[in-house]
Amino acid sequence: QVQLVESGGGSVQAGGSLTLSCVASGHVRSRTNMAWFRQAPGKAREGIVYIGSAGGTFYGDSVKGRFTVSQDNDNNKNTVYLQMNNLEPEDTAMYYCAAGPSCGGCYVLSSQTYTYWGQGTQVTVSS
């Protein structure tokens, strides 16, 4: 089992910044892959950024160059951060942290890659 707790959402004006955090605890191998997803009302859930236990990252086109993912690991938990800069109204969504075990040949921004999900944190960007 893995527990994920997100924080850091809020409201900001276009061009502003926010940093989201996700604290992951539990079975280490089940959180080898970590990612952030988002879902806006009426839209499908979108994978936006991935980070692996070894530090490898992958960004979706919609956030590349504006968002940065990082992590801090210790023996019992890892914290994944999502620094979001130059926010746009189109970034308004519920943001979810996800975790999953290592998987060969899987697409790291597909929701099917992940087993565990956080409760979500709302980000609202006004124009």
Side-chain angles (χ1 to χ4, degrees):
Q1 284 287 347
V2 172
Q3 295 76 44
L4 302 171
V5 180
E6 302 113 329
S7 61
S11 297
V12 65
Q13 289 191 328
S17 299
L18 282 173
T19 300
L20 306 183
S21 300
C22 172
V23 179
S25 59
H27 191 229
V28 172
R29 289 185 179 180
S30 294
R31 44 187 170 94
T32 300
N33 292 334
M34 300 286 295
W36 285 96
F37 287 73
R38 66 185 182 185
Q39 188 165 19
K43 294 189 177 181
R45 186 168 294 192
E46 175 192 14
I48 56 173
V49 64
Y50 157 84
I51 186 165
S53 57
T57 60
F58 184 79
Y59 293 87
D61 289 342
S62 62
V63 304
K64 198 175 298 181
R66 300 187 298 122
F67 291 11
T68 303
V69 66
S70 60
Q71 66 183 348
D72 288 330
N73 294 331
D74 65 26
N75 289 335
N76 298 316
K77 66 181 187 298
N78 55 312
T79 302
V80 178
Y81 302 97
L82 183 63
Q83 174 68 43
M84 306 185 294
N85 296 327
N86 194 21
L87 283 161
E88 304 168 349
E90 293 74 21
D91 295 316
T92 296
M94 186 71 79
Y95 283 69
Y96 297 91
C97 178
S102 177
C103 57
C106 60
Y107 179 50
V108 294
L109 294 186
S110 168
S111 60
Q112 295 181 354
T113 297
Y114 300 91
T115 306
Y116 302 97
W117 296 83
Q119 80 286 355
T121 186
Q122 178 68 37
V123 172
T124 302
V125 184
S126 58
S127 57

